[in-house]
Amino acid sequence: MNESETTLMEPGAMSSSALKGAEKEQNDMIKPSHARERRRRVFQRSAFGLFRIAAAVNGTALAIIIYFLVARGWRAINWTFLTQPPIDSMTKGGILPCIIGTLCLSMGAILVALPIGVASAIYLNEYARPGRVLRVIRLGINNLAGVPSIVFGLFGLALFVVLLGFGVSILSGALTLGAMTLPVIIGASEEALRAVPDTYREASLGLGATKWQTIYRVVLPAALPGILTGAILGIGRAAGETAPIMFTAAVFYSPSLPSSIFDEIMALPYHIYVLATAGTEIEATRHLQYGTALVLIVLVLGLNLVAIVYRARLRRRLG
Amino acid sequence: MKTTDLDFYYGDFPALEGVSLDFYINRVTALIGPSGCGKSTLLRCLNRMNDLIPYSRAEGKVLLDGQDIYDPNVDVVGLRRRIGMVFQKPNPFPKTVFENVAFGLRVNGISKKTYLANRVEESLNLAALWDEVSDRLDDSALGLSGGQQQRLCIARALAVEPEVLLMDEPCSALDPIATQKIEELIHQLKSSYTIIIVTHNMQQAARVSDITGFFYLGKLIEVDDTDTIFTRPKLQQTEDYITGRFG
Ligand SMILES: Nc1ncnc2c1ncn2[C@@H]1O[C@H](COP(=O)(O)OP(=O)(O)OP(=O)(O)O)[C@@H](O)[C@H]1O
Ligand SMILES: [Mg+2]
């Protein structure tokens, strides 16, 4: 139907009678007709139906994943599992070093990425003049977000581990994960800053505040909920990554907990990877693998929950 | 404060053309004219708020105490402290009522609690808001009604004791009682400020102002004593607008 219309509308072919025809069609469209009403209702219902299904797919996927993890991993979860290091070539015992490791790496990554990311976003959104340079920087950031995580792993290996001599350590891993999370945090922060109405900035400047005072006292507090949510979501993702820490921080097995940021460390995602591919008893440790995955996902979902609750609380306080 | 031959452009669009207008201390100047004629633009030129708009530019002079505020050496932050502004739409910060009013003082380095508290109460009283908010100083300002928010913005501007007060339709969101309070406030403030007010309400212009300027399509058409403008305007166009024959 669209095609026949476009042929009708070819340049020059629009005679006055064609115009009248179009006008008439318009009038018909405005007039209520039962068939058309019904068509619209049916269309609306099926569109809503489709959207509902799309939304349901998301929820179902999450539910299925969690169901599998719980079904296969719950037997592994007990007090020992959560509070002891692995023993007997990692076929028994717990995953405490991995939990500690992942927490350290996540915290480290956020300590690295949050200040740099927020500062970049402030520069991009509040200071930089729109133009070519800004567009190029944005393009760079967007591309950074699309870089595969293994590439970040190699980058971290080359820069932090080797060149800067941090070795395989919490520090190298946190820096690498931080670099990987940076685009997410910049994106979320920029969006949050953009959402702060200009009228706030004008009101502040109009009272004789400097630009920095305006940003620090008005814009940042208003953007904070969005920034922190973005940061925590980014970290949640980073916490589950294996590739970036494989060469930079994670170690196959370590009997003791780390004592400094220059120590190497065990981590949940890498532990799963090791048990499932390189362990001595791959089949016999299935329940441990699922148990570890369950702990990891609970940790990540917990982080997200914290983000959501925190945002809601901030919003209430500001709103 | 005065402007001479002020032009203002949004990109290529001339929003103000050749505006020369004097504003006197202890006088209220009203700016009237149909929507889109550049009244807000002029106000925003007076405290360089238009600096924020990219691709805009001002030509001509704006003098404050004989000094051109568009001179590159001028300290814009200090300038905006001296020229307070109340915006067309109420725009309180998402902070408490108290912090809204105290904001201008705080950014100017004042942090003494008792002084802040006194200034806040004084300003809220001036803006005829104290009685309504004295027991909710620590609540969010966004919970106030539109009219209360507008008076809060007035209090916020007054707290830093500017020399010039720019008011862009300060009463457009207010009920008649609050409007009357604001008009009384303007009368009262006149003795120590230069006040410039934009209004769409002819009665209000007639009531509160000493001088009225009529704008049309970015040009200052006529300016004179308010009495003269409202009783014997020189130009037909002005008379037509005031009497509501066009607008
Ligand atoms: N940020 C902007 N960018 C481009 N054009 C603008 C901008 N702000 C205002 N204008 C234009 O400048 C002209 C004057 O606008 P201004 O806001 O000064 O009018 P006004 O007299 O205050 O109108 P109103 O009574 O409706 O508030 C209008 O034509 C408007 O479209
Ligand atoms: Mg306006």
Side-chain angles (χ1 to χ4, degrees):
Chain A
M1 175 208 169
N2 269 330
E3 265 180 0
S4 71
E5 251 177 26
T6 35
T7 42
L8 244 179
M9 299 286 185
E10 244 160 21
M14 193 91 153
S15 67
S16 70
S17 70
L19 264 177
K20 283 219 185 79
E23 211 169 82
K24 184 163 174 293
E25 198 171 81
Q26 281 241 311
N27 281 339
D28 281 354
M29 251 154 70
I30 294 163
K31 234 183 280 165
S33 110
H34 285 301
R36 186 166 287 128
E37 271 300 305
R38 214 179 50 230
R39 250 201 343 260
R40 268 176 48 177
R41 256 208 315 276
V42 169
F43 177 77
Q44 166 150 328
R45 279 221 194 102
S46 38
F48 277 159
L50 273 176
F51 294 153
R52 208 170 282 142
I53 290 170
V57 166
N58 280 306
T60 319
L62 182 65
I64 291 177
I65 291 174
I66 292 183
Y67 171 77
F68 258 97
L69 292 180
V70 171
R72 305 210 172 163
W74 71 271
R75 274 186 305 128
I77 309 273
N78 55 45
W79 190 243
T80 314
F81 189 66
L82 297 175
T83 56
Q84 296 295 321
I87 47 173
D88 285 355
S89 313
M90 302 203 286
T91 56
K92 293 206 179 66
I95 53 168
L96 180 68
C98 312
I99 298 177
I100 301 282
T102 289
L103 287 177
C104 284
L105 287 172
S106 309
M107 290 305 137
I110 213 162
L111 283 180
V112 172
L114 194 61
I116 302 179
V118 172
S120 315
I122 288 177
Y123 169 74
L124 290 173
N125 202 58
E126 306 289 325
Y127 284 100
R129 296 216 154 254
R132 182 98 153 263
V133 182
L134 192 61
R135 276 208 303 280
V136 171
I137 297 180
R138 282 240 166 77
L139 193 70
I141 293 170
N142 287 338
N143 277 314
L144 204 59
V147 171
S149 52
I150 184 70
V151 177
F152 276 103
L154 293 172
F155 160 78
L157 173 67
L159 182 63
F160 305 126
V161 177
V162 178
L163 194 67
L164 296 177
F166 297 152
V168 173
S169 62
I170 298 180
L171 181 62
S172 296
L175 287 169
T176 310
L177 283 179
M180 200 186 84
T181 319
L182 212 44
V184 181
I185 293 191
I186 294 177
S189 306
E190 268 208 275
E191 202 167 302
L193 290 173
R194 255 200 306 276
V196 176
D198 271 339
T199 55
Y200 290 174
R201 296 182 179 85
E202 289 182 347
S204 169
L205 294 171
L207 290 165
T210 62
K211 186 154 190 167
W212 170 243
Q213 285 174 325
T214 301
I215 291 171
Y216 182 73
R217 287 171 182 261
V218 178
V219 179
L220 265 187
L224 205 57
I227 292 176
L228 290 180
T229 315
I232 297 185
L233 292 181
I235 278 315
R237 246 179 58 78
E241 285 285 350
T242 316
I245 56 171
M246 206 149 69
F247 316 123
T248 56
V251 60
F252 197 81
Y253 172 70
S254 144
S256 58
L257 295 178
S259 60
S260 92
I261 57 169
F262 292 105
D263 285 352
E264 45 187 22
I265 204 173
M266 293 181 81
L268 291 168
Y270 189 61
H271 188 62
I272 300 171
Y273 169 77
V274 166
L275 286 185
T277 60
T280 42
E281 308 254 7
I282 294 177
E283 281 309 320
T285 57
R286 279 287 183 233
H287 67 290
L288 291 183
Q289 296 161 24
Y290 279 107
T292 311
L294 187 59
V295 170
L296 177 59
I297 205 164
V298 166
L299 211 72
V300 170
L301 290 182
L303 267 178
N304 292 357
L305 197 69
V306 169
I308 292 165
V309 171
Y310 189 67
R311 179 178 55 186
R313 283 234 324 247
L314 267 182
R315 288 236 171 97
R316 236 198 338 270
R317 221 185 60 211
L318 298 171
Chain B
M1 182 163 209
K2 65 190 281 185
T3 72
T4 40
D5 265 332
L6 181 68
D7 301 327
F8 188 85
Y9 300 88
Y10 292 108
D12 293 331
F13 175 77
L16 292 176
E17 292 177 87
V19 174
S20 298
L21 187 54
D22 289 9
F23 306 102
Y24 301 97
I25 190 164
N26 303 347
R27 294 280 180 283
V28 177
T29 307
L31 308 178
I32 60 171
S35 190
C37 68
K39 307 177 298 289
S40 297
T41 304
L42 176 60
L43 275 198
R44 295 165 54 93
C45 281
L46 298 179
N47 67 347
R48 291 190 55 176
M49 200 48 86
N50 280 330
D51 288 13
L52 303 182
I53 298 171
Y55 310 113
S56 70
R57 110 193 108 90
E59 277 166 22
K61 283 200 167 112
V62 180
L63 301 178
L64 177 65
D65 290 343
Q67 218 217 343
D68 186 1
I69 66 167
Y70 278 91
D71 189 287
N73 299 324
V74 161
D75 160 30
V76 183
V77 173
L79 171 83
R80 294 202 184 113
R81 234 228 63 181
R82 294 173 61 191
I83 306 181
M85 183 161 200
V86 178
F87 293 81
Q88 192 161 352
K89 293 193 202 97
N91 57 354
F93 299 123
K95 299 177 183 292
T96 63
V97 171
F98 184 92
E99 284 306 324
N100 262 278
V101 184
F103 184 88
L105 299 167
R106 285 202 196 277
V107 298
N108 283 294
I110 295 165
S111 54
K112 227 178 116 211
K113 276 227 172 73
T114 48
Y115 181 78
L116 281 178
N118 284 338
R119 280 301 303 157
V120 167
E121 176 170 353
E122 220 173 298
S123 310
L124 284 170
N125 254 323
L126 269 180
L129 189 59
W130 175 253
D131 296 338
E132 287 159 65
V133 300
S134 57
D135 55 348
R136 36 199 296 211
L137 291 178
D138 292 326
D139 293 354
S140 167
L142 301 185
L144 300 180
S145 77
Q148 290 173 329
Q149 290 187 7
Q150 187 65 302
R151 275 176 287 155
L152 181 68
C153 293
I154 293 175
R156 187 174 66 181
L158 294 176
V160 290
E161 303 186 284
E163 297 157 37
V164 181
L165 193 57
L166 311 173
M167 306 176 106
D168 200 343
E169 297 184 44
C171 302
S172 58
L174 300 190
D175 65 57
I177 296 167
T179 301
Q180 197 192 344
K181 285 182 184 163
I182 296 299
E183 290 181 6
E184 281 163 13
L185 164 70
I186 292 173
H187 265 299
Q188 206 180 323
L189 294 174
K190 205 162 87 168
S191 55
S192 40
Y193 293 80
T194 306
I195 297 178
I196 306 168
I197 176 173
V198 169
T199 175
H200 279 292
N201 180 331
M202 294 306 124
Q203 285 84 30
Q204 180 170 66
R207 278 194 304 263
V208 302
S209 73
D210 306 294
I211 298 160
T212 298
F214 169 61
F215 286 79
Y216 186 62
L217 293 180
K219 295 200 179 70
L220 176 62
I221 304 295
E222 186 172 352
V223 57
D224 214 325
D225 286 347
T226 298
D227 282 347
T228 316
I229 287 276
F230 279 92
T231 52
R232 309 176 296 280
K234 293 193 188 63
L235 298 175
Q236 187 63 38
Q237 210 178 355
T238 315
E239 186 175 340
D240 286 349
Y241 180 73
I242 289 166
T243 53
R245 254 167 286 178
F246 90 83

